[in-house]
């Protein structure tokens, strides 16, 4: 649904449906509390399913449309999402200096993260580093690059408004 035929990994219909389900179903306090109370079985199910997914598709292109549209891939994603919500609510729902800073900058991070992540990944993919190191350095470089880019863009009023949609009165 609404998919460009050549870009099969971006599945607008699936993502939009998941977004609506997440918004209308998972935003309720009672549902979140239920997931928190069932976090351990959900986490075990998610880990088991993802180990099974890895064994089943080892060595294959897991971004292939035939795999992504399959029930098992989507079930792994859904159970993993439910487990992440339940575990995060139980184990990570704390407020501190770092979390307050992240909340303050969450929009900037959301909007800007892809560019530094992509540039870092492209540059590192051209090296002889082992894949695990490429993933690690991409995460670190992409994350750090996002924070630097955010700080630079937030200091340029007109550009900040164009890129982040925040006006001069909203300078944080």
């Amino acid at each position: 649904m609404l998919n460009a035929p050549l870009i099969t990994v971006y599945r607008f219909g699936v993502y939009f449906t998941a977004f609506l389900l997440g918004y209308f179903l998972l935003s309720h306090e009672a549902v979140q509390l239920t997931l928190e109370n069932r976090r351990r079985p959900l986490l075990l199910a998610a880990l088991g399913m993802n180990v099974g997914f890895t064994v089943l598709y080892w060595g294959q292109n897991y971004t292939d449309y035939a795999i992504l549209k399959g029930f098992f891939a989507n079930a792994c994603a859904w159970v993993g999402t439910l487990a992440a919500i339940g575990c995060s609510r139980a184990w990570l729902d704390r407020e501190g200096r770092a979390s307050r800073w992240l909340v303050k900058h969450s929009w900037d991070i959301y909007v800007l993260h892809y560019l530094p992540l992509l540039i870092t990944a492209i540059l590192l993919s051209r090296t002889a580093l082992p894949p695990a190191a490429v993933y690690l350095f991409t995460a670190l470089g992409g994350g750090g690059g996002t924070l630097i880019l955010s700080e630079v863009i937030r200091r340029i009023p007109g550009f900040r408004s164009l890129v982040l949609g925040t006006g001069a009165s909203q300078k944080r």
Side-chain angles (χ1 to χ4, degrees):
M1 177 166 109
L2 300 175
N3 248 4
L6 298 176
I7 308 172
T8 57
V9 295
Y10 186 74
R11 303 168 304 153
F12 180 77
V14 173
Y15 297 151
F16 187 65
T17 302
F19 171 79
L20 290 177
L21 277 173
Y23 181 76
F24 288 112
L25 179 66
L26 300 176
S27 63
H28 295 285
E29 186 72 23
V31 174
Q32 291 179 17
L33 185 58
T34 300
L35 293 174
E36 180 181 5
N37 292 335
R38 292 185 172 88
R39 68 187 174 275
R40 287 182 180 89
L42 282 169
L43 181 60
L44 288 174
L47 291 172
M49 291 175 77
N50 282 284
V51 166
F53 184 88
T54 302
V55 169
L56 186 61
Y57 295 110
W58 185 260
Q60 296 181 47
N61 180 2
Y62 61 87
T63 64
D64 185 56
Y65 185 65
I67 294 172
L68 288 180
K69 74 175 184 175
F71 175 80
F72 192 49
N74 288 284
C76 286
W78 184 244
V79 172
T81 299
L82 297 178
I85 292 170
C87 292
S88 295
R89 185 176 159 105
W91 299 325
L92 301 175
D93 191 18
R94 310 282 182 269
E95 186 174 311
R97 187 174 169 201
S99 65
R100 283 190 297 274
W101 187 90
L102 283 170
V103 166
K104 183 178 174 184
H105 293 84
S106 62
W107 176 253
D108 301 2
I109 293 168
Y110 169 71
V111 170
L112 300 171
H113 79 280
Y114 195 72
L115 181 63
L117 188 67
L118 183 63
I119 290 171
T120 306
I122 288 171
L123 292 174
L124 289 173
S125 69
R126 297 177 180 168
T127 67
L129 291 171
V134 171
Y135 276 103
L136 175 65
F137 293 140
T138 298
L140 294 173
T146 300
L147 298 178
I148 291 168
L149 185 60
S150 169
E151 289 300 321
V152 169
I153 288 177
R154 288 175 65 229
R155 286 170 170 68
I156 308 170
F159 196 59
R160 176 181 62 239
S161 295
L162 290 172
V163 175
L164 301 173
T166 55
S169 64
Q170 294 174 324
K171 185 175 180 184
R172 293 170 261 168

